[in-house]
C-alpha cells in the first residue's frame, strides 16, 4: 500500500492568498484526521472525518480554515485568506476506523510570507 | 482533557548505547501509540500498544495502563535512530483525537 499521500509537500505563499492542501488516505480506511505541528503548540488535531462525515472540528482555529471530504479517497484543507501565523507542517492521518491505530502522511510544510 | 508528559526532553548518546524514554498520562487510556519523527519530518509508527509489551527488532515498548505510563526502549542505538520520539493517546474514553506529548529529542552521535 502507498500509505497516506499528501500534496503539495511544500507550499510557500503570500499573506492573503488561498491555500489548499490535499490528502489521499490509505485505501479501506474510514477515518481521516488533519493535524498541525508548530514549535509553540506541538501536534494538535484540527478536524477529523468518519465515513466522509466531519465529526469533530473543534480544533479548527478560525473560520478561515475549512475542510472537506467529498469521497472516501480524498480530502482537502483550505485556508482562505492565509496569514503568516498559519505557517506550520500540516499532517493528514487515516485509520481503519476511529478507534484504531492512525497512520500519518509525510506532511505539507506551509510557509506564509 | 488528558495530559501527556514525556521525559527526558532531550537525550544525547553515543552509538551503541541503550536508552529508555518515558511517557506519563494523566488518565486511563485504551490506546497508546509511539512515533518516531525523523530529521525529514516524517512521522513513523513504531508501536500501537494499549497495554503489555511489544518488541520490534532493537525497539520494544511497555505500557502499564493501570499506572498510567509507557516506556520505549532502544537498544544498541544507531545514528539513524536520531530524531524526536512522540507518544500519543486519545483524549478520553470513546474519543479519537490523539493528544501528543511534547516529545523526546534523541541524538545519537557516531
Amino acid at each position: 500500500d502507498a500509505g497516506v499521500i499528501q500534496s503539495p509537500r511544500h507550499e510557500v505563499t503570500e499573506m492573503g492568498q488561498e491555500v489548499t492542501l490535499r490528502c489521499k488516505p490509505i485505501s479501506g480506511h474510514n477515518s481521516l484526521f488533519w493535524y498541525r505541528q508548530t514549535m509553540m503548540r506541538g501536534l494538535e488535531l484540527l478536524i477529523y472525518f468518519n465515513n466522509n462525515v466531519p465529526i469533530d472540528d473543534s480544533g479548527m482555529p478560525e473560520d478561515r480554515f475549512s475542510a472537506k471530504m467529498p469521497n472516501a479517497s480524498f480530502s482537502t484543507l483550505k485556508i482562505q485568506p492565509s496569514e503568516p501565523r498559519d505557517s506550520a507542517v500540516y499532517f493528514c492521518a487515516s485509520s481503519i476506523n476511529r478507534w484504531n491505530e492512525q497512520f500519518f502522511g509525510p506532511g505539507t510544510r506551509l510557509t506564509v510570507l | 482533557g488528558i495530559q501527556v508528559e514525556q521525559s527526558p526532553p532531550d537525550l544525547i548518546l553515543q552509538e551503541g548505547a541503550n536508552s529508555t524514554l518515558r511517557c506519563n498520562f494523566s488518565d486511563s487510556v485504551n490506546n497508546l501509540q509511539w512515533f518516531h519523527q525523523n530529521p525529514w519530518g516524517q512521522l513513523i509508527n513504531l508501536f500501537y500498544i494499549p497495554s503489555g509489551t511489544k518488541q520490534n527488532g532493537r525497539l520494544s515498548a511497555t505500557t502499564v495502563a493501570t499506572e498510567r505510563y509507557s516506556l520505549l526502549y532502544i537498544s544498541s542505538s544507531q545514528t539513524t535512530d536520531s530524531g524526536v520520539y512522540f507518544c500519543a493517546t486519545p483524549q478520553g474514553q470513546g474519543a479519537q483525537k490523539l493528544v501528543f506529548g511534547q516529545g523526546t529529542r534523541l541524538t545519537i552521535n557516531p
Side-chain angles (χ1 to χ4, degrees), chain A residues 37 39 41-43, chain B residues 4-11 21-24 34-37 43 72 83-88 99-106:
Chain A
Q37 185 177 31
M39 290 295 293
R41 300 175 64 89
L43 277 153
Chain B
V4 180
E5 294 184 0
Q6 292 186 243
S7 60
D10 292 279
L11 189 57
L21 283 58
R22 187 177 180 99
C23 174
N24 291 332
W34 280 98
F35 298 89
H36 174 213
Q37 187 164 39
L43 278 166
L72 177 68
V84 183
Y85 289 80
F86 291 100
C87 64
V99 176
F100 284 79
Q102 288 302 307
T104 292
R105 181 173 297 278
L106 178 64

Side-chain angles (χ1 to χ4, degrees), chain B:
Chain B
I2 194 167
Q3 304 295 316
V4 180
E5 294 184 0
Q6 292 186 243
S7 60
D10 292 279
L11 189 57
I12 301 173
L13 299 171
Q14 290 297 120
E15 200 168 22
N18 301 329
S19 58
T20 300
L21 283 58
R22 187 177 180 99
C23 174
N24 291 332
F25 30 91
S26 60
D27 204 348
S28 58
V29 300
N30 55 14
N31 174 356
L32 187 121
Q33 292 188 234
W34 280 98
F35 298 89
H36 174 213
Q37 187 164 39
N38 63 24
W40 294 270
Q42 194 168 7
L43 278 166
I44 299 166
N45 289 48
L46 297 178
F47 294 101
Y48 173 70
I49 183 167
S51 62
T53 297
K54 290 187 177 180
Q55 181 153 8
N56 184 3
R58 297 181 295 104
L59 276 61
S60 64
T62 295
T63 296
V64 184
T66 54
E67 298 187 18
R68 303 179 184 176
Y69 73 89
S70 182
L71 302 174
L72 177 68
Y73 305 94
I74 305 174
S75 64
S76 304
S77 299
Q78 301 176 358
T79 55
T80 51
D81 295 330
S82 295
V84 183
Y85 289 80
F86 291 100
C87 64
T89 188
Q91 188 176 30
Q93 290 292 335
Q96 297 78 48
K97 165 184 172 179
L98 281 181
V99 176
F100 284 79
Q102 288 302 307
T104 292
R105 181 173 297 278
L106 178 64
T107 302
I108 304 298
N109 292 320

Side-chain angles (χ1 to χ4, degrees), chain A residues 55-94:
Chain A
I55 303 300
D56 182 353
D57 66 353
S58 60
M60 296 284 264
E62 300 171 31
D63 291 344
R64 298 184 296 105
F65 286 69
S66 62
K68 294 182 179 179
M69 191 165 186
N71 58 61
S73 59
F74 184 66
S75 176
T76 59
L77 178 67
K78 184 177 292 186
I79 308 172
Q80 166 64 16
S82 58
E83 297 182 2
R85 58 184 167 145
D86 302 331
S87 298
V89 180
Y90 292 80
F91 287 100
C92 176
S94 71

Side-chain angles (χ1 to χ4, degrees), chain A residues 16-102:
Chain A
Q17 296 299 305
E18 178 180 294
V19 175
T20 299
L21 311 181
R22 298 172 176 79
C23 175
K24 176 179 170 56
I26 294 172
S27 178
H29 283 195
N30 296 317
S31 297
L32 183 140
F33 307 80
W34 283 100
Y35 290 87
R36 179 171 68 174
Q37 185 177 31
T38 61
M39 290 295 293
M40 292 296 294
R41 300 175 64 89
L43 277 153
E44 52 184 356
L45 180 74
L46 300 177
I47 185 171
Y48 82 89
F49 296 82
N50 196 51
N51 292 323
N52 311 339
V53 176
I55 303 300
D56 182 353
D57 66 353
S58 60
M60 296 284 264
E62 300 171 31
D63 291 344
R64 298 184 296 105
F65 286 69
S66 62
K68 294 182 179 179
M69 191 165 186
N71 58 61
S73 59
F74 184 66
S75 176
T76 59
L77 178 67
K78 184 177 292 186
I79 308 172
Q80 166 64 16
S82 58
E83 297 182 2
R85 58 184 167 145
D86 302 331
S87 298
V89 180
Y90 292 80
F91 287 100
C92 176
S94 71
S95 63
I96 289 177
N97 58 48
R98 63 176 94 181
W99 314 109
N100 278 61
E101 184 177 8
Q102 295 181 25

